[in-house]
């Protein structure tokens, strides 16, 4: 498939998509897999469908932050199951039980901190596809560098803009 072909499918409403805050179009992997299957197009191995809806795990000791992130995720992708954890220990348990698609991970957590949770995810071969968005109110270049080295896919400083979070 060429990008113009995919763009036509999106423009015609045949392939569900959404726009980021920056105006870019994005397609969820599960929507693309369903589209390919419906049109008898072979699925690449990375797109083999999950048996359950995708899961987002939000890990933060602040209940307000967990709810803000959950509302933003559900607004963009209502099919995503949102789960929450208030500390690193519960996060570790839920990550291994749920195998989430994405983890929004605060770095300053009671008990096991976000750095250790991130390293734990990256050391487990069964969790290799999990995306990690690290968040922290203690944001500086050293913190960002440290969490990216620990395996996070991206980092955002708190407080954050919902548009930035969605993107």
């Amino acid at each position: 498939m060429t990008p113009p072909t995919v763009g036509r499918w999106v423009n015609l409403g045949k392939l569900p998509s959404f726009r980021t805050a920056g105006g870019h179009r994005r397609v969820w992997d599960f929507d693309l897999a369903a589209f390919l299957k419906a049109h008898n197009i072979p699925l690449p191995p990375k797109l083999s469908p999950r048996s359950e809806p995708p899961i987002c795990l939000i890990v933060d000791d602040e209940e307000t932050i967990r709810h803000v992130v959950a509302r933003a995720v559900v607004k963009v992708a209502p099919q995503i199951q949102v789960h929450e954890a208030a500390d690193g220990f519960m996060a570790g348990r839920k990550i291994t039980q749920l195998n989430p698609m994405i983890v929004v991970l605060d770095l300053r957590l009671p008990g096991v901190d976000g750095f250790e949770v991130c390293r734990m995810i990256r050391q487990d071969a069964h969790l290799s596809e999990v995306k990690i968005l690290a968040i922290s109110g203690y944001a500086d270049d050293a913190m960002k560098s440290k969490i990216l080295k620990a395996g996070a896919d991206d980092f955002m400083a708190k407080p954050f803009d919902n548009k930035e979070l969605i993107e």
Side-chain angles (χ1 to χ4, degrees):
M1 286 169 253
T2 64
T5 299
V6 176
R8 274 194 301 280
W9 291 339
V10 168
N11 290 337
L12 293 171
K14 293 180 178 183
L15 179 59
S17 71
F18 63 95
R19 287 201 181 268
T20 67
H24 300 281
R25 291 186 290 196
R26 296 288 185 259
V27 175
W28 289 108
D29 57 353
F30 45 88
D31 284 334
L32 179 58
F35 176 84
L36 294 175
K37 186 175 180 182
H39 291 86
N40 296 317
I41 300 171
L43 284 177
K46 276 193 159 188
L47 286 180
S48 42
R50 295 179 135 203
S51 58
E52 300 146 11
I55 295 170
C56 173
L57 178 62
I58 303 163
V59 184
D60 200 303
D61 56 332
E62 295 180 56
E63 185 176 10
T64 304
I65 298 292
R66 291 194 313 266
H67 290 195
V68 166
V69 173
R71 277 195 310 268
V73 168
V74 169
K75 185 176 180 180
V76 170
Q79 69 278 20
I80 291 181
Q81 291 182 16
V82 176
H83 294 263
E84 299 178 12
D87 60 52
F89 177 76
M90 184 56 70
R93 240 177 106 215
K94 287 190 173 192
I95 289 166
T96 56
Q97 289 173 345
L98 300 170
N99 190 18
M101 177 177 78
I102 186 167
V103 176
V104 179
L105 179 64
D106 186 23
L107 300 180
R108 303 276 182 159
L109 297 167
V112 180
D113 70 14
F115 295 98
E116 188 57 34
V117 172
C118 187
R119 283 189 284 275
M120 182 267 311
I121 293 169
R122 292 300 175 231
Q123 290 171 357
D124 187 330
H126 293 91
L127 302 172
S128 64
E129 298 295 316
V130 174
K131 298 295 183 193
I132 302 170
L133 172 61
I135 59 175
S136 180
Y138 303 95
D140 60 23
D141 289 338
M143 177 85 72
K144 180 177 180 178
S145 177
K146 184 177 176 184
I147 192 59
L148 293 176
K149 284 180 184 172
D153 295 288
D154 206 351
F155 175 83
M156 278 182 29
K158 289 193 238 176
F160 47 80
D161 179 69
N162 276 356
K163 288 180 182 179
E164 181 185 10
L165 173 67
I166 298 304
E167 192 170 310

